Amino acid sequence: MPLKVFPITLETLETCCNIHYGAYDDNPFFQVLYPKGHTNDLQKNLTYHDRLEHKDPNVHMFCVIDTSSKDKIIGAAKWTLVGPGVSSGEQDEQDHGPPQIADGVINAEFFNHFQGVVLSRRAKHKTRKTLQLSDLSVLEGYRHRGAGSLLVKTLIDFADKEGLPCYLESTPKGYNMYKQLGFRDVDKLEMDLGAWKKGLGVYKLALMYRDAR
């Protein structure tokens, strides 16, 4: 499958965002965070913030296309420069602010709990400017064919040129790929999602770091 990576443009942003949103459906974490599923209110809010991030010079968005399928976009990734002295482009929000979200679309209690648990752990490993993987998604049917690793390699090459380390949080599904690309474990996080939604189990994340080269 011949693959090529390109920066995400405003014209391709919605398609790439939909790939990310589609990946939420089979992720138990997002089943708890978005208890009503993928609603129109949620879509509008997420798209709003994606457009803001697209304008942020500290956010790097790339997509991968399959040239054998009429240049179909099959995956996308978002990396964010974080750390001391880095400001967020979301400070430049339009006056009217983000679209309103109806009650219950986002589980605010769970979101705040997760932020409280994970932010302190992230901070320990980002004491200098670091590229953090925010999103990586590949369309079902195109997975395990090299699209995900190609997206990661693209940003690794950029990080190496800039002398930057990389950081990410991996589910068990992506763990082996990241290990093969030079990431190492620095911490782990386990959350009992069953305490938030009946029938779910323990959600595991490996916090991984790749030193600057």
Side-chain angles (χ1 to χ4, degrees), residues 1 22 42 45 71 77 91 102 105 107 114 125 156 170 190-191 212:
M1 184 169 60
L42 178 62
N45 189 275
D71 291 349
Q91 295 172 352
V105 173
N107 186 333
F114 177 76
H125 310 295
I156 284 177
S170 174
E190 296 186 356
M191 296 183 65

Side-chain angles (χ1 to χ4, degrees), residues 44-52 93-94 96-99:
K44 289 177 182 178
N45 189 275
L46 294 174
T47 300
Y48 172 84
H49 287 286
D50 282 327
R51 288 186 176 276
L52 283 180
E93 290 188 7
Q94 301 174 26
H96 62 267

Side-chain angles (χ1 to χ4, degrees), residues 70-91:
K70 299 181 179 179
D71 291 349
K72 180 179 181 178
I73 298 174
I74 63 170
K78 177 172 65 180
W79 293 76
T80 306
L81 183 65
V82 297
V86 180
S87 60
S88 169
E90 293 213 16
Q91 295 172 352

Side-chain angles (χ1 to χ4, degrees), residues 173-204:
K173 287 183 179 180
Y175 180 80
N176 288 336
M177 178 184 73
Y178 297 127
K179 289 284 283 188
Q180 292 170 3
L181 293 172
F183 286 84
R184 57 182 172 84
D185 296 58
V186 291
D187 204 344
K188 65 179 180 180
L189 176 65
E190 296 186 356
M191 296 183 65
D192 181 12
L193 297 184
W196 299 87
K197 183 176 180 179
K198 187 176 180 180
L200 297 181
V202 176
Y203 185 68
K204 298 180 180 181

